[in-house]
Amino acid sequence: MDTSQANPLKSITNPSLVDEITRLAPKASEGHFDELRGNGSELLPHWKTFFDQLEPSGLSDLDQRTLELDRQVRENGITYNVYADEFGPQRPWSVDLFPLIINTESWQEIQSGVLQRARLLEAIVQDIYGPQTLLKEGYIPPALVYGHPGYLRSMHGVKLNNRKHLHIIAFDLARAPNGKWSVLSQRTQAPSGLGYLLENRNLIARQFPAAYEAMQIAPLANAYRDLIDALKLESPAGSNAHIALLTPGPYNETYFEHAYLARYLGLTLVEGGDLTVRDQRLYLKTVRGLEPVDILLKRLDDEFLDPLELRSDSTLGVPGLMQVIRAGNVILANAPGSAFLESPALLGFLPAISEHLLGEEIQLPAMDTWWCGERAALEAAIPNLGHSAIKPTYPNGSGHQNYESALGGELSQAQLDQWVGRITRQPDEHTVQTYIPLAQMPTWLNAFNINDASLIEPHSYMLRVFALSNGADSWQVLPGGLARIAGNNSGVASMQRGGSSADVWVQTQQSNTNQENHTQQAAPNKEILLRKRMVTSRAAENLYWFGRYTERSENILRLAKLYLENINSEYTPSRSLWSWLENLCHHYGLVPDGVPSNFDQGDIRHRIFERTLVHSLNASENATSVGFNLNAMKRTASNVRERLSTEQWSTINHCIDQFEQDCHKANSFHDFSSSLAIDALKQASSSLAAITGAQTDRMTRDDGWQLLSIGRHIERLSFLTTVLDSAIQAGLLNNPNADSSGYMALLNLFDSTITFHAQHQQSREIAPLISLLVLDDENPRSLAWVSKALRARLSKLAGTERNNPDQLTRSVTNLQDYDLYKLSSVDGYGNFFELRNCLYATSQSAWNVSDAIGARYFTLIHANEYSVQF
């Protein structure tokens, strides 16, 4: 047998690896630049170096590395949500195993051209919102500025105190068949990719550590740090400037990146509702009051920033923000009003503008671009439609003609004729840009999933690079980028169209060489403030509910497991126990009302209640199922994603995914459904233990954590008091020596069975039970311990001493005030009157605290407690 045919990787694990790759890897498609070989037939030197570092295993372990890469993406929760919604699936981020490698010579070409273009765009936006000489002297047609919805008249003449308008600019580049780089587009409003490319680097460098070190790849971290330092230099607050990152929210397609950047850069992640304007200053609404914001790194388009002056229907922005900007009291990166620079039509005018403003010829050319609003350009563009891209001059939804870009080479003659008619009727709405076949880079195909296909396959890609501010008048180019890889047989590199991404490795002799200017160091400040992490009211509310949903999931999960274990035990449960458990299942929504009791239908074929419970464990239509509460826990956690470790987020996802699979399995095997459901609940319980452990041990004890803990304690008090009170009503404590099943089930729901046996052995007396479950302040599942912990968290949150608590803290029932003898006694009618009163008071105090917490820290209706902090 020919083993090399059985395993195509066998022949690629020998010392002639580079020769084998040269022979086996297909060349780029006709007319495309080949990143692997260039214009020759041999591998380029940097790719030879890369593959040399794969020895001695060669390509034989690349499939395993691919699986490891996919696992890391899932565990890190890296997502790109094309159409994100509250209940929609999240799409995992797609990254190829091979990086795009750019040698020093090519990078110098990119770097010098991008630095020049960054200076040029800043000069243009300063002129447009200043003297407007470019419009007066005809360098830019007025229609491209005044007709563009991204031009903000309210920003004209605004003095930014010698600050930049632009701090982050993205350029999309393509490589022509001759190997030269060209600009396809530029992004200035809220360029995306800075977080994804950093995560790509972390993922891919880990897969090829030897190659990464041997090839002297430029690091990325310094550029991010320089950007933050440069922003602080522009702020009067200096090193103490408070920087926030403004996100549209967790349903935005790139929300992962927003949370990742906020965590990596140490910024406060905020939504529009977290901010407010007072006296032409921007403030963050926190649980401690209003905190000033000095710098805002925005990740939403300009039109949504201020509903008072821009889009009135926007719920993403901050009313009054534009006035704060005009007053010079906040730095926005980037300043609003730069969207007109993103019009493809402007690219054709930049060479002349560069010579006028900078006195320099453009170094990094754009593709030949014609704005059809000029007659000469229209006449030149029409004959070229067949090998050009047709793009809208203005963004969709802006009052202009809406249409998707089209590639002339993919159109029939009849379709081309239709386009000619459309362009002729509305020429200013159309921009024509010469299309070149995108360069192709090598990508790795997972050999487990292919049939008679090459393991290395060339795919078209587009490169996004970033110019970042590193001083008042200087820029640097992030030494790397984001390569977007087109799908199969596609000439369009787009993540929204199912494309992938690749890390970008820039070879350099020294890291960060040839930058235009070195970062200016911030002047030392003798009074650098120790700024505590701020907790926004929105984050506080989500953390509070994160705690509550976690605790609620644990409680109802334990209840469901207890019922199924009792119903399938060798001992037939008593009527009182059966009735108690079924009433609790109804009360907590695990089983809908109206389902007949199992007690009345002993034949297993008719155990409708049990089957309904199993079926409903993960039912989405049941708003209080275990699965629903687990997903609610995840949704609240996603809103504070920047506060959670990667491991904690991964555990949450694993818990929910595993529970869904286990429940599906339980409902697929009816004869074993209860047994499989119990296994599913046990597995979920273990995962929840890890989640609560991370909440306890892996989170800073700031105000947000205090509220998370308060949420858990309130939920626990509510559940435990309800369970105990319903047990009393069901008569489970009337004669436990005769029937101890209810006694033991109660200990189970309180998760105190082991503790009870250790302290009281096999006692079935009432007093020891009440002592452990109600009054023992060392048992974390007793009402006394939970109440004491709740008072401690409230006192810490309020900033009061324990011996001098505030009114809210004092309102929590103190169980130490109750007498064990009275709680364990029954009145003349056999009722635990004192105990039930105690339970009612404890439960009501918990809910009163919940209402007060919402009013004080979330809705902020107590104006006298909500002051501006300086």
Side-chain angles (χ1 to χ4, degrees), residues 407-447:
L407 295 179
E410 299 177 354
L411 303 175
S412 66
Q413 185 58 50
Q415 291 172 323
L416 282 173
D417 291 340
Q418 291 177 357
W419 274 106
V420 170
R422 292 175 60 179
I423 294 172
T424 302
R425 289 191 297 271
Q426 293 181 302
D428 59 308
E429 302 279 350
H430 299 81
T431 298
V432 176
Q433 189 178 70
T434 299
Y435 173 78
I436 59 170
L438 298 176
Q440 295 186 338
M441 63 172 287
T443 62
W444 176 253
L445 297 181
N446 191 325

Short mmCIF file of all heavy atoms in Angstrom, two decimals, residues 407-447:
data_model
loop_
_atom_site.label_atom_id
_atom_site.label_comp_id
_atom_site.label_asym_id
_atom_site.label_seq_id
_atom_site.Cartn_x
_atom_site.Cartn_y
_atom_site.Cartn_z
N LEU A 407 -19.22 44.84 -9.34
CA LEU A 407 -18.00 44.64 -10.12
C LEU A 407 -18.40 44.49 -11.59
O LEU A 407 -19.17 43.59 -11.95
CB LEU A 407 -17.24 43.40 -9.65
CG LEU A 407 -16.68 43.44 -8.23
CD1 LEU A 407 -15.97 42.13 -7.89
CD2 LEU A 407 -15.71 44.61 -8.08
N GLY A 408 -17.87 45.38 -12.42
CA GLY A 408 -18.25 45.36 -13.82
C GLY A 408 -17.91 44.05 -14.51
O GLY A 408 -18.63 43.61 -15.42
N GLY A 409 -16.83 43.39 -14.07
CA GLY A 409 -16.42 42.14 -14.69
C GLY A 409 -17.39 41.01 -14.46
O GLY A 409 -17.33 39.99 -15.16
N GLU A 410 -18.30 41.16 -13.49
CA GLU A 410 -19.27 40.11 -13.20
C GLU A 410 -20.63 40.39 -13.83
O GLU A 410 -21.58 39.65 -13.62
CB GLU A 410 -19.43 39.96 -11.68
CG GLU A 410 -18.15 39.56 -10.96
CD GLU A 410 -18.33 39.49 -9.46
OE1 GLU A 410 -19.42 39.89 -8.98
OE2 GLU A 410 -17.40 39.06 -8.76
N LEU A 411 -20.73 41.49 -14.62
CA LEU A 411 -22.00 41.90 -15.20
C LEU A 411 -22.08 41.51 -16.67
O LEU A 411 -21.07 41.52 -17.40
CB LEU A 411 -22.19 43.41 -15.05
CG LEU A 411 -22.12 43.98 -13.63
CD1 LEU A 411 -22.21 45.50 -13.65
CD2 LEU A 411 -23.24 43.39 -12.77
N SER A 412 -23.31 41.18 -17.09
CA SER A 412 -23.53 40.93 -18.52
C SER A 412 -23.58 42.25 -19.26
O SER A 412 -23.64 43.32 -18.65
CB SER A 412 -24.85 40.17 -18.71
OG SER A 412 -25.95 40.99 -18.31
N GLN A 413 -23.58 42.19 -20.57
CA GLN A 413 -23.63 43.41 -21.35
C GLN A 413 -24.93 44.17 -21.11
O GLN A 413 -24.93 45.40 -21.02
CB GLN A 413 -23.49 43.09 -22.85
CG GLN A 413 -23.40 44.32 -23.74
CD GLN A 413 -22.23 45.22 -23.38
OE1 GLN A 413 -21.10 44.74 -23.26
NE2 GLN A 413 -22.47 46.51 -23.20
N ALA A 414 -26.02 43.42 -20.96
CA ALA A 414 -27.29 44.08 -20.69
C ALA A 414 -27.26 44.79 -19.33
O ALA A 414 -27.76 45.91 -19.19
CB ALA A 414 -28.43 43.05 -20.72
N GLN A 415 -26.65 44.16 -18.36
CA GLN A 415 -26.54 44.79 -17.04
C GLN A 415 -25.63 46.01 -17.07
O GLN A 415 -25.91 47.03 -16.44
CB GLN A 415 -26.03 43.76 -16.02
CG GLN A 415 -27.03 42.66 -15.69
CD GLN A 415 -26.42 41.56 -14.84
OE1 GLN A 415 -25.25 41.19 -15.02
NE2 GLN A 415 -27.22 41.02 -13.92
N LEU A 416 -24.55 45.92 -17.85
CA LEU A 416 -23.66 47.07 -17.99
C LEU A 416 -24.40 48.24 -18.63
O LEU A 416 -24.23 49.40 -18.22
CB LEU A 416 -22.44 46.69 -18.83
CG LEU A 416 -21.33 45.90 -18.12
CD1 LEU A 416 -20.27 45.44 -19.13
CD2 LEU A 416 -20.68 46.76 -17.04
N ASP A 417 -25.24 47.94 -19.62
CA ASP A 417 -26.01 49.00 -20.28
C ASP A 417 -26.96 49.66 -19.28
O ASP A 417 -27.16 50.88 -19.31
CB ASP A 417 -26.79 48.42 -21.46
CG ASP A 417 -25.86 47.99 -22.60
OD1 ASP A 417 -24.70 48.48 -22.64
OD2 ASP A 417 -26.30 47.17 -23.43
N GLN A 418 -27.56 48.85 -18.39
CA GLN A 418 -28.44 49.41 -17.37
C GLN A 418 -27.67 50.33 -16.44
O GLN A 418 -28.15 51.40 -16.06
CB GLN A 418 -29.11 48.28 -16.58
CG GLN A 418 -30.12 47.47 -17.38
CD GLN A 418 -30.70 46.33 -16.57
OE1 GLN A 418 -30.31 46.10 -15.43
NE2 GLN A 418 -31.64 45.59 -17.18
N TRP A 419 -26.46 49.93 -16.09
CA TRP A 419 -25.64 50.77 -15.21
C TRP A 419 -25.26 52.07 -15.90
O TRP A 419 -25.24 53.14 -15.27
CB TRP A 419 -24.38 50.02 -14.78
CG TRP A 419 -24.59 49.17 -13.56
CD1 TRP A 419 -24.69 47.81 -13.50
CD2 TRP A 419 -24.74 49.64 -12.21
NE1 TRP A 419 -24.91 47.40 -12.21
CE2 TRP A 419 -24.93 48.50 -11.39
CE3 TRP A 419 -24.76 50.90 -11.64
CZ2 TRP A 419 -25.10 48.59 -10.01
CZ3 TRP A 419 -24.93 50.99 -10.26
CH2 TRP A 419 -25.11 49.87 -9.46
N VAL A 420 -24.97 52.00 -17.18
CA VAL A 420 -24.64 53.23 -17.91
C VAL A 420 -25.81 54.20 -17.84
O VAL A 420 -25.63 55.41 -17.63
CB VAL A 420 -24.27 52.90 -19.38
CG1 VAL A 420 -24.18 54.19 -20.20
CG2 VAL A 420 -22.96 52.14 -19.44
N GLY A 421 -27.04 53.68 -18.00
CA GLY A 421 -28.21 54.54 -17.92
C GLY A 421 -28.38 55.15 -16.54
O GLY A 421 -28.66 56.36 -16.41
N ARG A 422 -28.18 54.36 -15.51
CA ARG A 422 -28.33 54.87 -14.14
C ARG A 422 -27.28 55.94 -13.84
O ARG A 422 -27.58 56.98 -13.25
CB ARG A 422 -28.19 53.71 -13.14
CG ARG A 422 -29.34 52.73 -13.20
CD ARG A 422 -29.10 51.54 -12.29
NE ARG A 422 -28.94 51.93 -10.88
CZ ARG A 422 -28.75 51.08 -9.88
NH1 ARG A 422 -28.70 49.77 -10.14
NH2 ARG A 422 -28.62 51.51 -8.64
N ILE A 423 -26.05 55.67 -14.27
CA ILE A 423 -24.98 56.62 -13.99
C ILE A 423 -25.20 57.93 -14.75
O ILE A 423 -24.99 59.03 -14.21
CB ILE A 423 -23.61 56.00 -14.37
CG1 ILE A 423 -23.31 54.81 -13.45
CG2 ILE A 423 -22.50 57.03 -14.28
CD1 ILE A 423 -22.09 54.01 -13.85
N THR A 424 -25.67 57.81 -15.96
CA THR A 424 -25.89 59.01 -16.77
C THR A 424 -27.01 59.87 -16.19
O THR A 424 -26.94 61.10 -16.21
CB THR A 424 -26.24 58.60 -18.21
OG1 THR A 424 -25.17 57.80 -18.74
CG2 THR A 424 -26.39 59.84 -19.09
N ARG A 425 -28.05 59.21 -15.64
CA ARG A 425 -29.16 59.96 -15.07
C ARG A 425 -28.78 60.63 -13.74
O ARG A 425 -29.22 61.74 -13.46
CB ARG A 425 -30.36 59.04 -14.87
CG ARG A 425 -31.03 58.60 -16.16
CD ARG A 425 -32.36 57.91 -15.89
NE ARG A 425 -32.16 56.67 -15.12
CZ ARG A 425 -31.95 55.49 -15.70
NH1 ARG A 425 -31.88 55.39 -17.03
NH2 ARG A 425 -31.79 54.41 -14.95
N GLN A 426 -27.99 60.00 -12.94
CA GLN A 426 -27.57 60.55 -11.65
C GLN A 426 -26.06 60.38 -11.48
O GLN A 426 -25.58 59.59 -10.66
CB GLN A 426 -28.31 59.87 -10.50
CG GLN A 426 -29.81 60.16 -10.44
CD GLN A 426 -30.47 59.47 -9.26
OE1 GLN A 426 -30.42 58.26 -9.12
NE2 GLN A 426 -31.10 60.27 -8.40
N PRO A 427 -25.29 61.12 -12.24
CA PRO A 427 -23.84 60.89 -12.25
C PRO A 427 -23.17 61.15 -10.91
O PRO A 427 -22.24 60.43 -10.55
CB PRO A 427 -23.35 61.87 -13.33
CG PRO A 427 -24.42 62.91 -13.43
CD PRO A 427 -25.70 62.21 -13.16
N ASP A 428 -23.62 62.16 -10.16
CA ASP A 428 -22.93 62.49 -8.91
C ASP A 428 -23.10 61.41 -7.84
O ASP A 428 -22.34 61.36 -6.87
CB ASP A 428 -23.44 63.82 -8.36
CG ASP A 428 -24.94 63.77 -8.09
OD1 ASP A 428 -25.68 63.38 -9.00
OD2 ASP A 428 -25.34 64.13 -6.97
N GLU A 429 -24.08 60.50 -8.01
CA GLU A 429 -24.31 59.45 -7.03
C GLU A 429 -23.36 58.27 -7.23
O GLU A 429 -23.33 57.36 -6.40
CB GLU A 429 -25.75 58.92 -7.13
CG GLU A 429 -26.82 59.98 -6.92
CD GLU A 429 -27.05 60.26 -5.44
OE1 GLU A 429 -26.52 59.51 -4.61
OE2 GLU A 429 -27.76 61.23 -5.12
N HIS A 430 -22.58 58.30 -8.30
CA HIS A 430 -21.78 57.13 -8.66
C HIS A 430 -20.30 57.48 -8.73
O HIS A 430 -19.92 58.55 -9.21
CB HIS A 430 -22.23 56.56 -10.00
CG HIS A 430 -23.65 56.08 -10.01
ND1 HIS A 430 -24.72 56.94 -10.17
CD2 HIS A 430 -24.17 54.84 -9.85
CE1 HIS A 430 -25.85 56.24 -10.12
NE2 HIS A 430 -25.54 54.97 -9.94
N THR A 431 -19.50 56.56 -8.25
CA THR A 431 -18.04 56.65 -8.35
C THR A 431 -17.53 55.35 -8.96
O THR A 431 -17.97 54.26 -8.54
CB THR A 431 -17.40 56.88 -6.98
OG1 THR A 431 -17.86 58.12 -6.44
CG2 THR A 431 -15.89 56.90 -7.07
N VAL A 432 -16.66 55.46 -9.91
CA VAL A 432 -16.11 54.29 -10.60
C VAL A 432 -14.64 54.18 -10.24
O VAL A 432 -13.89 55.16 -10.30
CB VAL A 432 -16.30 54.40 -12.12
CG1 VAL A 432 -15.64 53.22 -12.84
CG2 VAL A 432 -17.78 54.47 -12.48
N GLN A 433 -14.24 52.98 -9.85
CA GLN A 433 -12.85 52.74 -9.43
C GLN A 433 -12.32 51.52 -10.15
O GLN A 433 -12.97 50.48 -10.19
CB GLN A 433 -12.79 52.52 -7.91
CG GLN A 433 -11.39 52.47 -7.33
CD GLN A 433 -11.43 52.31 -5.83
OE1 GLN A 433 -11.79 51.26 -5.30
NE2 GLN A 433 -11.06 53.36 -5.10
N THR A 434 -11.12 51.67 -10.72
CA THR A 434 -10.51 50.54 -11.42
C THR A 434 -10.38 49.36 -10.48
O THR A 434 -9.98 49.50 -9.33
CB THR A 434 -9.12 50.93 -11.95
OG1 THR A 434 -9.26 52.01 -12.88
CG2 THR A 434 -8.46 49.75 -12.65
N TYR A 435 -10.73 48.19 -10.99
CA TYR A 435 -10.65 46.99 -10.17
C TYR A 435 -9.43 46.18 -10.58
O TYR A 435 -9.16 45.98 -11.76
CB TYR A 435 -11.90 46.13 -10.34
CG TYR A 435 -11.81 44.79 -9.66
CD1 TYR A 435 -12.00 44.68 -8.28
CD2 TYR A 435 -11.50 43.63 -10.38
CE1 TYR A 435 -11.90 43.46 -7.64
CE2 TYR A 435 -11.41 42.40 -9.75
CZ TYR A 435 -11.60 42.32 -8.37
OH TYR A 435 -11.49 41.12 -7.74
N ILE A 436 -8.66 45.76 -9.60
CA ILE A 436 -7.55 44.85 -9.86
C ILE A 436 -7.79 43.57 -9.08
O ILE A 436 -8.36 43.59 -7.98
CB ILE A 436 -6.19 45.45 -9.46
CG1 ILE A 436 -6.18 45.80 -7.96
CG2 ILE A 436 -5.84 46.65 -10.31
CD1 ILE A 436 -4.80 46.17 -7.45
N PRO A 437 -7.39 42.43 -9.62
CA PRO A 437 -7.51 41.18 -8.86
C PRO A 437 -6.69 41.28 -7.57
O PRO A 437 -5.54 41.70 -7.59
CB PRO A 437 -6.94 40.12 -9.81
CG PRO A 437 -7.00 40.75 -11.17
CD PRO A 437 -6.81 42.22 -10.96
N LEU A 438 -7.31 40.93 -6.46
CA LEU A 438 -6.61 41.01 -5.18
C LEU A 438 -5.48 39.99 -5.12
O LEU A 438 -5.57 38.88 -5.67
CB LEU A 438 -7.59 40.74 -4.04
CG LEU A 438 -8.75 41.73 -3.88
CD1 LEU A 438 -9.68 41.25 -2.76
CD2 LEU A 438 -8.25 43.12 -3.58
N ALA A 439 -4.40 40.37 -4.45
CA ALA A 439 -3.31 39.43 -4.23
C ALA A 439 -3.80 38.24 -3.44
O ALA A 439 -4.80 38.32 -2.72
CB ALA A 439 -2.16 40.13 -3.49
N GLN A 440 -3.11 37.11 -3.59
CA GLN A 440 -3.53 35.90 -2.90
C GLN A 440 -2.43 35.40 -1.97
O GLN A 440 -1.26 35.39 -2.31
CB GLN A 440 -3.89 34.80 -3.92
CG GLN A 440 -5.10 35.17 -4.76
CD GLN A 440 -5.56 34.06 -5.67
OE1 GLN A 440 -4.79 33.16 -6.00
NE2 GLN A 440 -6.82 34.11 -6.10
N MET A 441 -2.85 35.04 -0.76
CA MET A 441 -1.93 34.54 0.26
C MET A 441 -2.21 33.07 0.52
O MET A 441 -3.33 32.58 0.27
CB MET A 441 -2.08 35.34 1.55
CG MET A 441 -3.44 35.22 2.21
SD MET A 441 -3.50 35.99 3.86
CE MET A 441 -2.55 34.77 4.81
N PRO A 442 -1.24 32.32 1.03
CA PRO A 442 -1.48 30.90 1.31
C PRO A 442 -2.37 30.73 2.54
O PRO A 442 -2.22 31.43 3.54
CB PRO A 442 -0.07 30.36 1.57
CG PRO A 442 0.72 31.53 2.04
CD PRO A 442 0.16 32.72 1.31
N THR A 443 -3.32 29.83 2.45
CA THR A 443 -4.18 29.48 3.59
C THR A 443 -4.10 27.98 3.79
O THR A 443 -3.88 27.21 2.84
CB THR A 443 -5.63 29.91 3.36
OG1 THR A 443 -6.15 29.21 2.22
CG2 THR A 443 -5.72 31.41 3.11
N TRP A 444 -4.32 27.56 5.02
CA TRP A 444 -4.23 26.13 5.34
C TRP A 444 -5.62 25.52 5.36
O TRP A 444 -6.53 26.02 5.99
CB TRP A 444 -3.58 25.94 6.71
CG TRP A 444 -3.55 24.51 7.16
CD1 TRP A 444 -4.31 23.95 8.13
CD2 TRP A 444 -2.73 23.47 6.64
NE1 TRP A 444 -4.02 22.60 8.25
CE2 TRP A 444 -3.04 22.28 7.35
CE3 TRP A 444 -1.76 23.41 5.63
CZ2 TRP A 444 -2.42 21.07 7.09
CZ3 TRP A 444 -1.13 22.19 5.38
CH2 TRP A 444 -1.46 21.04 6.10
N LEU A 445 -5.76 24.41 4.63
CA LEU A 445 -7.01 23.67 4.63
C LEU A 445 -6.89 22.52 5.60
O LEU A 445 -5.90 21.78 5.57
CB LEU A 445 -7.33 23.12 3.23
CG LEU A 445 -7.55 24.16 2.12
CD1 LEU A 445 -7.86 23.44 0.83
CD2 LEU A 445 -8.70 25.08 2.49
N ASN A 446 -7.86 22.35 6.44
CA ASN A 446 -7.86 21.25 7.40
C ASN A 446 -7.99 19.93 6.64
O ASN A 446 -8.98 19.67 5.97
CB ASN A 446 -9.03 21.41 8.37
CG ASN A 446 -8.93 20.46 9.54
OD1 ASN A 446 -8.46 19.34 9.39
ND2 ASN A 446 -9.39 20.91 10.69
N ALA A 447 -6.96 19.10 6.71
CA ALA A 447 -6.95 17.86 5.93
C ALA A 447 -8.04 16.90 6.36
O ALA A 447 -8.38 15.97 5.64
CB ALA A 447 -5.58 17.18 6.05
#
